[in-house]
Amino acid sequence: MTTIAVLGSGHVARALVGKLRDAGHEVVVGSRDPHGSATAGWAASGVRVAGLPDAAGSAEVIVNAMPGSASVRTLTGLAAQLSGKVLLDVANAVEVDPAGFAAALLYPGGSLAEELQRALPGTRVVKTLNTVHDSVMADPARLSAPPAAFVSGNDADAKKTVTGLLTDLGWSPEWIIDLGDVETARVPEAFALMIRHLIHALGPVPFAMAVAR
């Protein structure tokens, strides 16, 4: 059993928490406002909600399920709580258009994962699941074709930990692709720029990137 802090209380957090708990992990949700209306439903489901420092400090693995635009600033403020730990980053850092779709990357020529690793040198950052619609992050078999979960990070043990958690979320090992070090997160993060066009072509259906082989 691993103690996991999911930082963020929106759709991504809700997609991940239940499946991680069902796999036997202890899960705490971290929120900027742990007593606010946005987190009211968690208590009824038996999930502990705490402030961000408390949640991060109590866990072995931290999941960044916050908006990518605020991630570096917020997580840098938690450097002490994150030191030595695995930070599983699923966010996309983008500028959005009036319709709410990604219009540009916040870190062109780089990636959010790289910025987090640079800002948090004592933390082991691993990027994954950012090419997957939140509704299938913990239910990938729901899709009509096997999707891919890309993994990028500098620390082999941290990637092994994250791969194990992906398996707990329903990802078959053959669907998980280790791309290499944290710099390899650049291309998967750029996938966010395709989302508006894919929804225009396919409609508002869950989807993920896949690799045919």
Side-chain angles (χ1 to χ4, degrees):
M1 180 185 75
T2 302
T3 303
I4 302 170
V6 179
L7 305 187
S9 55
H11 295 296
V12 173
R14 294 182 186 281
L16 298 175
V17 168
K19 194 70 172 283
L20 291 171
R21 290 184 72 204
D22 290 347
H25 301 293
E26 180 179 349
V27 184
V28 57
V29 172
S31 171
R32 293 184 183 87
D33 183 11
H35 305 295
S37 58
T39 60
W42 290 108
S45 61
V47 176
R48 184 170 79 89
V49 180
L52 296 175
D54 180 8
S58 68
E60 303 160 71
V61 175
I62 293 84
V63 178
N64 176 31
M66 299 183 296
S69 58
S71 293
V72 173
R73 181 179 68 254
T74 302
L75 293 172
T76 299
L78 301 173
Q81 291 86 355
L82 296 173
S83 180
K85 299 180 179 179
V86 176
L87 176 62
L88 195 169
D89 175 36
V90 303
N92 286 312
V94 297
E95 297 176 11
V96 298
D97 64 19
F101 293 110
L105 300 175
L106 284 184
Y107 306 109
S111 66
L112 172 59
E114 289 173 85
E115 292 295 320
L116 289 172
Q117 188 63 85
R118 188 175 297 113
L120 299 163
T123 302
R124 298 176 291 163
V125 177
V126 180
K127 188 80 181 191
T128 194
L129 290 183
N130 67 297
T131 60
V132 182
H133 190 271
D134 59 71
S135 67
V136 292
M137 284 182 174
D139 189 16
R142 171 183 170 189
L143 295 170
S144 61
F150 303 105
V151 177
S152 300
N154 295 340
D155 187 282
D157 288 338
K159 289 194 285 188
K160 183 177 179 180
T161 295
V162 168
T163 297
L165 294 178
L166 289 173
T167 301
D168 290 340
L169 290 170
W171 290 83
S172 296
E174 62 270 22
W175 301 350
I176 302 169
I177 302 174
D178 184 345
L179 294 179
D181 65 21
V182 72
E183 289 187 2
T184 64
R186 296 178 183 187
V187 174
E189 287 196 21
F191 176 73
L193 299 178
M194 290 183 62
I195 291 175
R196 176 169 63 91
H197 307 292
L198 287 171
I199 290 177
H200 177 75
L202 303 175
V205 297
F207 56 79
M209 185 181 287
V211 176
R213 51 187 167 176

